Amino acid sequence: MVSLKAVRPAISCSSSGLESGPSIPLPKVGFVKLPLPAPSPSLGLNVSNNARLSLVQATEESAVSVANDRAAVISGQNLRQMATNGKATNIVWHKSSVGKLHRQELLQQKGCVIWITGLSGSGKSTLACALCQALYSRGKLTYILDGDNIRHGLNRDLSFKAEDRAENIRRIGEVAKLFADAGIICIASVISPYRRDRDACRALLPEGDFIEVFMDVPLQICESRDPKGLYKLARAGKIKGFTGIDDPYEPPLNCELVLPQKGINYASPCEMAETVISFLEEKGFLQT
């Protein structure tokens, strides 16, 4: 009979959601010592059935090496590499074996951010919806990050003061980056009045994946449209810090697309959407 003499700590699999017994951080690996008697017929160990039993004595150092190798395969990098990012300390990036290229291959498109900027009333949201519909009809996956919509949830704690507006754009930029990494064509429709904030969002993405679209519509036309009645309130002094009235808008200097007037009339939302789609096709975003 085999008797159990000693048990060393078991392997913890808590990092994958499977756990048995107390959690013990990697790379500790446990072994069970099983002293066996000499081969005998009762154990079925004899020469006739060619059964052999090899006892291998493993050291903890070799076990650590194996555990580290497996951890490297799972995470894609050294799990002990800690980082500090802003106020976040002791954080480790956990890399998935399924990356952006895999997702893009699945979707048959390339993830990117289309950043539509301009004054209130310039037609940003209208273009975003027309573009989303046109790409959907082509079998392409998009998602719109609308400035007002984002303030209903993620950014509801932010005001319209300069520092909060900067944080508003930073958060939208980070979310847009995640969508692009997922292989999705993300359409951000936000006033984003400050050039430095837009440039900071551009810097989050690989070169070429941030497509800035400037709705170049004069203030007087935007104010005459006034779809939300905000210009009227701003002129009456009921809204402070309103872009174009008592807060500046800084036009892009090197944007990818400018959608200006078409003669004496503006192009329709569908026509402008086709202009953006032509750019996406030219740059290879609608195929992999």
Side-chain angles (χ1 to χ4, degrees):
M1 177 179 293
V2 179
S3 60
L4 184 64
K5 293 294 185 182
V7 179
R8 290 170 62 187
I11 299 173
S12 171
C13 299
S14 58
S15 61
S16 64
L18 303 174
E19 190 169 355
S20 177
S23 176
I24 299 175
L26 287 172
K28 291 187 177 180
V29 178
F31 293 92
V32 177
K33 294 183 180 180
L34 298 172
L36 299 175
S40 67
S42 63
L43 288 175
L45 300 176
N46 52 55
V47 177
S48 62
N49 60 15
N50 295 321
R52 294 185 180 182
L53 180 63
S54 299
L55 299 178
V56 180
Q57 181 178 2
T59 64
E60 182 145 304
E61 288 74 20
S62 66
V64 167
S65 176
V66 171
N68 283 340
D69 288 344
R70 290 180 177 175
V73 170
I74 294 172
S75 69
Q77 63 186 69
N78 187 346
L79 290 178
R80 293 184 176 180
Q81 186 176 350
M82 296 291 179
T84 297
N85 190 356
K87 295 181 180 179
T89 60
N90 300 321
I91 55 175
V92 178
W93 185 269
H94 194 96
K95 186 177 180 181
S96 171
S97 59
V98 178
K100 182 178 181 180
L101 293 179
H102 299 97
R103 294 186 284 271
Q104 291 182 153
E105 182 66 26
L106 181 68
L107 296 171
Q108 290 296 294
Q109 64 184 46
K110 293 179 181 177
C112 64
V113 173
I114 302 171
W115 193 278
I116 306 174
T117 177
L119 292 170
S120 177
S122 61
K124 299 181 301 299
S125 297
T126 303
L127 171 60
C129 291
L131 181 57
C132 180
Q133 180 63 49
L135 288 170
Y136 172 77
S137 67
R138 288 167 168 79
K140 302 305 175 184
L141 183 61
T142 67
Y143 195 87
I144 297 175
L145 296 178
D146 183 86
D148 278 8
N149 291 358
I150 294 294
R151 284 184 177 272
H152 277 78
L154 177 64
N155 292 349
R156 64 184 178 183
D157 60 323
L158 300 177
S159 70
F160 286 90
K161 294 179 180 178
E163 59 272 19
D164 278 0
R165 298 188 83 157
E167 175 62 12
N168 177 59
I169 298 307
R170 187 195 71 80
R171 293 183 191 179
I172 294 175
E174 290 286 355
V175 173
K177 173 187 173 182
L178 294 178
F179 274 107
D181 187 60
I184 296 171
I185 298 172
C186 180
I187 306 169
S189 170
V190 281
I191 294 175
S192 45
Y194 308 133
R195 196 175 294 127
R196 67 177 181 274
D197 296 334
R198 298 192 302 267
D199 289 344
C201 292
R202 179 186 292 273
L204 294 173
L205 286 96
E207 185 175 356
D209 286 2
F210 185 92
I211 303 160
E212 190 172 18
V213 179
F214 174 37
M215 301 297 288
D216 189 12
V217 182
L219 173 62
Q220 60 270 26
I221 294 179
C222 293
E223 189 169 358
S224 67
R225 293 174 176 173
D226 202 10
K228 303 173 186 176
L230 300 178
Y231 283 102
K232 184 177 180 180
L233 292 174
R235 291 294 187 188
K238 296 180 179 180
I239 297 179
K240 301 296 184 182
F242 191 77
T243 301
I245 303 300
D246 56 352
D247 200 66
Y249 177 82
E250 300 171 356
L253 299 178
N254 297 293
C255 60
E256 281 70 22
L257 289 171
V258 178
L259 297 179
Q261 280 183 293
K262 182 180 179 182
I264 60 174
N265 299 313
Y266 279 93
S268 70
C270 290
E271 289 174 323
M272 291 188 288
E274 288 301 325
T275 299
V276 178
I277 289 175
S278 295
F279 180 89
L280 295 176
E281 289 176 335
E282 178 186 342
K283 298 299 180 181
F285 286 104
L286 303 186
Q287 59 188 14
T288 55

